[in-house]
Amino acid sequence: MTEAVRAGMSLETSEREFAARFAEFAAQGTLYPVREGSPLLEFGVAGRVLYLFDRSGPYAAQPGPARLVVHGVLEEGALQRLPADFSGGEQVQVVGVSGVEGRGEVLAVSRQVVVVRARLPLVLGAFSPLPVVKPGDWVSFRTAPPLHGFVVA
């Protein structure tokens, strides 16, 4: 159990509020059918298949084209600002069953959240202080599993 969990820290007030707040950063992809009762969504996006913990409820996610806010919690110290002259491009790769790492451009920053476009928009939260970054900066990152998925209507 992390210190943040022990202290009762939270990155969201409710699933609906979180999805609405970050709806403009929802990823467009394909949801695949899942077994009844499974908490995982299988989401095809940006040439990858992500397994996301379903945060929208058991029947909100219908198979087919979908928009989801993809949210991950950063591993401690795993967000690094890249040099101003970085020109390596966006990258994202799946780590384990439900984590990602990569690099991309910062789209937005608020409180303990940074939104990064790394072939798809990712809403990345942290329970520890983030390095100073601003929109337009390039960063590298790594999330702890599991990724979370919020369906956007």
Side-chain angles (χ1 to χ4, degrees):
M1 181 180 297
T2 67
E3 290 298 318
V5 171
R6 278 189 222 117
M9 290 181 67
S10 175
L11 297 172
E12 62 190 54
T13 55
S14 76
E15 292 83 358
R16 284 189 173 150
E17 180 275 331
F18 190 88
R21 182 168 27 133
F22 294 106
E24 70 180 290
F25 303 111
Q28 180 72 43
T30 303
L31 273 174
Y32 296 101
V34 295
R35 292 179 51 111
E36 179 75 25
S38 174
L40 293 180
L41 300 171
E42 191 173 346
F43 186 50
V45 61
R48 309 284 184 271
V49 174
L50 302 178
Y51 291 93
L52 310 173
F53 183 71
D54 183 359
R55 296 298 305 276
S56 299
Y59 301 105
Q62 297 299 313
R67 292 181 61 231
L68 273 76
V69 173
V70 178
H71 171 55
V73 175
L74 292 160
E75 290 184 351
E76 190 156 339
L79 183 77
Q80 301 292 320
R81 186 170 180 224
L82 297 173
D85 62 350
F86 176 77
S87 61
E90 297 174 14
Q91 176 184 355
V92 67
Q93 61 190 45
V94 177
V95 177
V97 173
S98 185
V100 290
E101 68 180 5
R103 61 180 182 249
E105 184 178 0
V106 174
L107 301 177
V109 179
S110 68
R111 294 191 335 228
Q112 292 300 104
V113 175
V114 60
V115 180
V116 176
R117 183 180 57 238
R119 299 193 57 186
L120 72 143
L122 296 163
V123 177
L124 304 174
F127 290 111
S128 57
L130 291 169
V132 176
V133 296
K134 63 186 181 316
D137 287 346
W138 282 78
V139 295
S140 63
F141 60 87
R142 183 180 176 105
T143 68
L147 293 171
H148 295 226
F150 297 80
V151 175
V152 176

